[in-house]
Amino acid sequence: QVQLEESGGGLVQPGGSLRLSCAASGHIYTNTIEHMGWYRQAPGKQRELVATISSDGITRYIDSVKGRFTVSRDALTAVHLQMNNLKSEDTAVYYCTIRTVAGVNPNVHDFWGQGTQVTVSS
């Protein structure tokens, strides 16, 4: 079993900052990890992939967070999301995710955390 646990969410004012962290535990083959990252889902909006960092350190972001958010890693199974200059539009539940890919005929698995609430409001 693989378990992902997020932390760092909370209530902040517009322009504030939060740092989300995620640690994975359990049975996982770290050499199969394609990327780690963060999804978010706000009420009334569809889920979107916010940021990812690949096993090679390549980062990707949705346009709305570029220049404000930074995804990073400090261990094989730990990922963080530094969120600066937060806006009300960033309010959502943020989910940590790990994608693993294994086999010559790729076998893809996505693992999800329970989510952490980020609320940006004055």
Side-chain angles (χ1 to χ4, degrees), residues 75-96:
L76 292 177
T77 55
V79 63
H80 308 274
L81 186 67
Q82 179 67 45
M83 305 184 294
N84 297 326
N85 192 24
L86 283 161
K87 304 176 180 180
S88 60
E89 304 95 287
D90 298 316
T91 296
V93 177
Y94 285 71
Y95 300 89
C96 174

Side-chain angles (χ1 to χ4, degrees), residues 94-115:
Y94 285 71
Y95 300 89
C96 174
T97 185
I98 296 177
R99 170 165 289 188
T100 64
V101 180
V104 294
N105 183 16
N107 185 13
V108 179
H109 292 280
D110 288 336
F111 302 95
W112 297 81
Q114 294 298 308

